[in-house]
Amino acid sequence: MSYALEIDGLMKEYKPGHPILKGINLSIDGTGLTAIIGPSGTGKSTLIRCINRLVDPSQGAIWLNAGGKRVDLASLRGGALRATRRRIGMVFQEYNLVERLTVMENVLCGRLGYMNAFAAWRRKFAQKDIDYAFQLLDTVGLGSFANQRADALSGGQRQRVGIARALMQQPEVLLADEPTSSLDPKTSFEIISLLREQGRAHKIPVIVNIHDVELAKRYADRIIGMSGGHVVYDGAPQGLSDDFLKQIYGGEDWL
Ligand SMILES: Nc1ncnc2c1ncn2[C@@H]1O[C@H](COP(=O)(O)OP(=O)(O)OP(=O)(O)O)[C@@H](O)[C@H]1O
């Protein structure tokens, strides 16, 4: 079987001899939301960032099924890497919007990876891209905000723009690195629900690195618990017992 994403023996060390990821093996498919949980510093962001190659893996393979073709993201360079990377949508904790641009312009930025350099420089977007961006803005509940500047939005609204921009890439997989860390509990729930819903609507898997275990247990279809650079739990939220939580986070006073 060919998975949407298959990670095989992934290792990452920022300093030689000090591995952060110590041999991660994962297969991700379907349209569910997978939550990655684990203590601070265990390598959750590093894992997400290796997948979209914001960080270069030290060893291992990351197979992405892009348009029916299986490519190893870990070994790609230059133009081949850029072409494959545009098929990976990424939502950031701090939104990473261009503050002085409008909501619509920010969403259209998701298309830049598909355009030639001159068209990208002129920000000359095709009408079908503009139409799709309007459609996505409606989907994320910001239909009437297209002409607002990004710096006039609340955190939750910014994250909705970030999700629309990632979907604009027509990705094969959607990654989110702590997308709710800066948001209140109600908005966090809305953003996680939106990610899950959009994963289903676009028939792509969603992988979210998240600190809030309760939120993960309530809304994820699958939980990956990391500790010390290893995966120590991989299964349904219902199976994430206190024993596993102790193994992931250590101690028990907090349970
Ligand atoms: N660019 C970098 N250079 C050197 N070390 C790094 C770099 N990025 C992360 N690290 C280190 O790698 C380890 C894992 O960091 P990472 O951000 O992946 O963990 P995390 O589980 O996502 O933590 P948190 O939940 O606090 O965000 C940490 O010790 C961190 O200091």
Side-chain angles (χ1 to χ4, degrees):
M1 168 165 184
S2 182
Y3 294 94
L5 189 73
E6 217 170 340
I7 298 174
D8 190 8
L10 179 65
M11 296 191 62
K12 172 64 190 175
E13 47 187 28
Y14 293 102
K15 271 192 289 183
H18 296 276
I20 301 297
L21 301 180
K22 300 174 182 166
I24 305 287
N25 298 303
L26 283 177
S27 302
I28 306 235
D29 208 10
T31 60
L33 187 137
T34 297
I36 303 177
I37 62 165
S40 254
T42 200
K44 304 180 298 295
S45 291
T46 299
L47 173 58
I48 294 264
R49 283 162 187 264
C50 280
I51 297 172
N52 73 359
R53 286 290 303 275
L54 284 173
V55 163
D56 286 333
S58 305
Q59 214 177 297
I62 303 169
W63 296 101
L64 178 76
N65 200 336
K69 216 171 117 202
R70 215 164 160 258
V71 282
D72 177 15
L73 280 157
S75 65
L76 293 179
R77 302 275 176 277
L81 175 59
R82 278 195 296 281
T84 306
R85 241 175 133 184
R86 65 193 180 196
R87 309 310 300 266
I88 302 176
M90 179 80 170
V91 174
F92 297 89
Q93 177 183 354
E94 295 302 334
Y95 325 118
N96 286 19
L97 303 184
V98 184
E99 297 288 320
R100 66 189 163 75
L101 295 184
T102 65
V103 164
M104 173 52 92
E105 287 166 326
N106 269 284
V107 175
L108 283 167
C109 283
R111 268 336 266 179
L112 289 175
Y114 287 92
M115 295 160 61
N116 68 47
F118 187 60
W121 175 69
R122 291 176 62 215
R123 298 276 197 276
K124 192 84 188 130
F125 295 100
Q127 188 58 45
K128 70 172 177 26
D129 291 341
I130 295 169
D131 293 344
Y132 187 48
F134 272 117
Q135 190 186 320
L136 286 174
L137 278 177
D138 271 340
T139 311
V140 301
L142 292 179
S144 56
F145 288 78
N147 295 319
Q148 286 255 17
R149 270 174 59 133
D151 55 10
L153 301 179
S154 70
Q157 289 169 334
R158 280 167 197 234
Q159 203 51 296
R160 286 170 186 271
V161 177
I163 293 170
R165 179 184 55 190
L167 292 170
M168 194 70 205
Q169 291 173 238
Q170 296 186 308
E172 304 282 350
V173 58
L174 186 56
L175 308 176
D177 193 7
E178 297 189 23
T180 59
S181 295
S182 312
L183 304 174
D184 66 61
K186 177 170 169 282
T187 311
S188 297
F189 151 73
E190 289 167 356
I191 291 297
I192 291 292
S193 298
L194 182 64
L195 283 166
R196 188 173 64 169
E197 181 190 300
Q198 289 307 305
R200 287 189 182 145
H202 294 266
K203 298 191 171 53
I204 52 173
V206 181
I207 306 171
V208 181
N209 158 11
I210 193 166
H211 269 296
D212 187 332
V213 175
E214 283 314 309
L215 197 62
K217 280 174 88 169
R218 281 174 72 184
Y219 300 107
D221 300 289
R222 173 180 175 186
I223 294 193
I224 291 168
M226 285 181 63
S227 186
H230 295 282
V231 171
V232 296
Y233 180 81
D234 183 355
Q238 301 82 335
L240 188 67
S241 61
D242 283 359
D243 280 346
F244 275 119
L245 287 172
K246 272 187 244 169
Q247 202 183 332
I248 295 168
Y249 291 98
E252 54 190 87
D253 298 350
W254 60 279
L255 282 168

